[in-house]
Amino acid sequence: MSVAARLRSALFGVLGLAVAVGGMTAGLPQKAEAAAPEACAALQAKYPALKGKTLVNAINPHTPGYETIDPNDPTKYIGFDIDLGEAIGECLGFKLTYKPVTFAALLTTLQAGQADIVISDIYATKERAKAADFITYLKVFDGVLVAKGNPKGINGINLSLCGAVAAENTGYVEVPLIQALEAECKAAGKPVPEIQLYDNNANCIQAILSGRADTYINDVNTVDGAVKAYPDKLEKATAVTLPYSVGIAVPRNNLEFRDAVMAALVEIQKTGLQAELMKKWNLPAEQLETPKLVLAD
């Protein structure tokens, strides 16, 4: 069943309720919008400018479980964020195309008008909110990826990182958190941590596999996936909670679009579809977060 079909099914409960929307012949809708859930039909009426549009989602397609290239079709993308974005589009009446960029270029691509939205496992922070408004949908749990046996004894974003080499994605919130340890390490008479910057998760993981780095700190689901892929070479030292949420980024000057996306996300959560998609992509149920805005002001 497609994401769109699951959304309709979740909101209607039974196929017979679809008749209430109208336009049915022999049990089949005359056109796609006829089968739209009642709540989403109301949102389409409230935000008519979005209906029938094709919008661009900027993504960094290198985070398995969230957004990655479909191994069966390199022209397509799969993952939780992809499904969630399509569900939002289905609810509001628009379709999505995708613009793959580096993680560091996600918000600049949005600001430049080359994308309309960013749904790509990006943490919503006040600093990033200077470039875009955020609508949150997941809590953040990070995992600490290390080589098998954890030879450096790393156990979090703390003094155990002194003298260690951390592979991180350019632009990730973990970078300044690790940099902030420099003063503490020096005060303790220990060498400061070194950071190697890469453009995607795969390169960070490869840095540990090749011995160039000691750790990679990122979303716990990404870390768990790496351990599953290389059980004899990698392990998760620990998991840490960060004071952030994962958010959908939208242009700061388009309040109507922001409000529409948030309203659609609320409806999708009400139906249980987000929880269903999280289960499909092996995301912890407790990671789900009620939508809130993260703004610069």
Side-chain angles (χ1 to χ4, degrees), residues 209-234:
L209 291 171
S210 66
R212 298 193 308 272
D214 303 305
T215 187
Y216 174 41
I217 304 170
N218 193 11
D219 177 90
V220 70
N221 307 294
T222 299
V223 169
D224 287 343
V227 173
K228 185 177 180 180
Y230 302 97
D232 298 329
K233 297 180 179 180
L234 300 174

Side-chain angles (χ1 to χ4, degrees), residues 20 25 30 35 38 95 103 149 161-162 171 175 179 184 215 228 243 253 256 282 286:
T25 301
Q30 290 295 312
E38 290 177 336
K95 296 184 180 299
F103 183 86
L161 286 176
C162 296
V175 174
Q179 290 173 331
E184 292 183 56
T215 187
K228 185 177 180 180
N253 60 351
E256 184 173 276
N282 299 313
E286 62 271 22

Side-chain angles (χ1 to χ4, degrees), residues 12 16-25 27-36 38:
F12 283 131
L17 291 177
V19 178
V21 182
M24 305 293 289
T25 301
L28 296 175
Q30 290 295 312
K31 46 188 178 180
E33 59 265 29
E38 290 177 336

Side-chain angles (χ1 to χ4, degrees), residues 91-112:
C91 189
L92 294 173
F94 64 78
K95 296 184 180 299
L96 284 174
T97 58
Y98 300 93
K99 185 176 181 65
V101 298
T102 64
F103 183 86
L106 287 173
L107 295 184
T108 55
T109 300
L110 183 71
Q111 286 181 299

